[in-house]
């Protein structure tokens, strides 16, 4: 099982985040904000410093998380162009980082999820975006038009671009209220298209809690991923803090110290828990399962 953590869940100091992740046996960092700068506003010099800090410790950068398509549905040509420009720049930034994907969303929903309508607009946005250079992964997003795997697959089917994969975040599905139990049924629907996994543990729709104390059966999920030949990264996105609860705005705009404060202690605890769960899952996996490739999702066999 290849383990990573989103850097600003640990610290706004990339060196501190990388050192703690490495100390606890994690092999990668997924990059969001650093040094109090949101990901999409980081300069080339800042991106290079982040890359060098991670790679210099023998670790991998496992993804790049700008707020791409994390906005209301654009309604004018100018709004579409602005969303496209952010995404084009995100692809360039990911290349500079050496990140294997750019995470995207499906726009904030207004009322019930509308994955078909979101796909129609996303098709316009993606026109001219070099998705062949860095893959795009669509996250199951809590407030977006794809809160569950079912919605995400409908979005992708109507988008009609097989180059996009799924970033599965079952915690978002629970917290959205659209699927209180996304494992195993929702997972089974999309397992062949999952290329990355976010790990956090919700207590229903009230708050995120220490890993293992919430609604999701993470030991069973990790075991199933291993048995199914998952080859991607499992990336901790703690969202739990000791002594405080993140606000909706902090979850929507997860950058800066107001978001990260308290994350070092909470993420260190959860990294240990995730490491132990993954080691147990690996120990009981079916013989012959292959989970050695860091940059793809499910193994070809059985996918």
């Amino acid at each position: 099982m290849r383990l990573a953590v989103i850097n600003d869940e640990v610290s706004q100091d990339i060196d501190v985040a990388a050192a703690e992740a490495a100390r606890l046996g994690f092999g990668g960092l997924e990059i969001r904000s650093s040094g109090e700068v949101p990901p999409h506003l980081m300069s080339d010099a800042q991106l290079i410093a982040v890359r060098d800090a991670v790679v210099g410790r023998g670790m991998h950068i496992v993804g790049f998380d700008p707020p791409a398509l994390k906005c209301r549905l654009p309604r004018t040509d100018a709004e579409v162009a602005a969303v496209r420009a952010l995404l084009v720049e995100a692809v360039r930034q990911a290349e500079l980082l050496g990140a294997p994907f750019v995470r995207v969303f499906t726009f904030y929903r207004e009322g019930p999820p509308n994955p078909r309508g979101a796909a129609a607009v996303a098709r316009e946005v993606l026109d001219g975006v070099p998705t062949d250079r860095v893959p795009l992964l669509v996250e199951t997003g809590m407030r977006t038009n794809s809160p569950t795997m079912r919605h995400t697959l409908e979005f992708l089917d109507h988008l009609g671009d097989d180059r996009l994969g799924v970033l599965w975040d079952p915690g978002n599905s629970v917290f959205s209220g659209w699927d209180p139990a996304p494992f195993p049924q929702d997972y089974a629907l999309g397992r062949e298209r999952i290329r990355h996994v976010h790990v956090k543990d919700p207590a229903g729709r009230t708050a995120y809690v220490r890993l293992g104390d919430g609604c999701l059966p993470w030991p069973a999920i990790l075991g199933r991923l291993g048995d199914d030949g998952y080859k991607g990264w499992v990336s901790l996105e703690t969202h739990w803090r000791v002594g405080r609860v993140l606000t909706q705005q902090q979850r929507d705009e997860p950058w800066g110290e107001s978001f990260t404060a308290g994350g070092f202690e909470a993420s260190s605890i959860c990294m240990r828990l995730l490491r132990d769960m993954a080691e147990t899952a690996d120990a009981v996996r079916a013989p012959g399962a292959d989970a050695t490739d860091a940059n793809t999702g499910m193994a070809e066999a059985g996918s």
Side-chain angles (χ1 to χ4, degrees):
M1 195 71 66
R2 301 298 298 267
L3 300 181
V5 61
I6 298 179
N7 67 296
D8 60 8
E9 294 281 354
V10 183
S11 175
Q12 284 291 316
D13 185 326
I14 191 65
D15 292 304
V16 171
E20 183 66 359
R23 185 181 75 83
L24 293 173
F26 278 49
L29 286 183
E30 187 172 339
I31 304 304
R32 199 159 54 197
S33 66
S34 182
E36 299 284 329
V37 181
H40 56 302
L41 300 181
M42 293 172 70
S43 68
D44 286 1
Q46 290 168 321
L47 291 165
I48 290 169
V50 166
R51 180 192 68 195
D52 291 349
V54 177
V55 174
R57 290 187 175 273
M59 301 173 72
H60 297 273
I61 290 174
V62 306
F64 182 52
D65 295 348
L69 281 66
K70 194 177 186 182
C71 58
R72 69 182 183 90
L73 278 168
R75 303 184 187 282
T76 67
D77 290 344
E79 289 177 343
V80 168
V83 176
R84 182 188 297 119
L86 189 154
L87 185 52
V88 169
E89 174 64 3
V91 170
R92 190 194 68 81
Q93 290 176 300
E95 287 184 299
L96 188 59
L97 276 170
F101 69 81
V102 172
R103 184 274 313 276
V104 303
F105 289 99
T106 57
F107 308 109
Y108 286 134
R109 64 180 180 269
E110 300 171 8
N114 181 12
R116 296 189 183 200
V121 178
R123 196 177 300 115
E124 294 183 58
V125 169
L126 291 174
D127 184 26
V129 177
T131 55
D132 55 332
R133 284 163 42 187
V134 179
L136 306 181
L137 300 188
V138 179
E139 181 166 347
T140 50
M142 191 270 285
R143 293 212 298 129
T144 72
N145 286 287
S146 58
T148 72
M149 182 67 76
R150 298 185 297 278
H151 294 113
T152 305
L153 295 177
E154 185 176 355
F155 171 86
L156 289 171
D157 288 345
H158 284 273
L159 185 65
D161 190 336
D162 291 336
R163 293 173 296 181
L164 277 69
V166 174
L167 193 163
W168 187 48
D169 188 327
N172 282 345
S173 298
V174 173
F175 214 84
S176 75
W178 283 90
D179 194 340
F183 181 82
Q185 289 85 359
D186 209 40
Y187 161 79
L189 288 174
R191 58 175 291 274
E192 297 179 4
R193 302 188 73 168
I194 294 172
R195 297 293 175 265
H196 194 77
V197 177
H198 278 175
V199 176
K200 54 182 181 278
D201 212 351
R205 304 182 66 186
T206 58
Y208 288 97
V209 296
R210 186 178 66 172
L211 189 64
D213 290 349
C215 301
L216 288 170
W218 278 110
I221 292 172
L222 295 172
R224 178 67 179 274
L225 286 167
D227 288 344
D228 284 351
Y230 177 69
K231 292 183 176 183
W233 291 87
V234 173
S235 191
L236 179 68
E237 186 184 22
T238 320
H239 269 25
W240 168 60
R241 301 289 184 267
V242 178
R244 73 184 183 104
V245 175
L246 294 175
T247 66
Q248 183 62 61
Q249 183 176 357
Q250 288 167 338
R251 295 194 302 269
D252 285 345
E253 299 178 356
W255 39 73
E257 191 58 32
S258 66
F259 168 78
T260 300
F264 185 93
E265 178 184 3
S267 292
S268 295
I269 292 169
C270 290
M271 278 193 280
R272 293 187 185 94
L273 291 166
L274 179 57
R275 181 190 63 197
D276 292 347
M277 290 178 187
E279 289 175 353
T280 299
D282 283 343
V284 300
R285 279 182 53 202
D290 180 10
T292 59
D293 188 309
N295 293 318
T296 58
M298 294 299 173
E300 291 183 3
S303 292

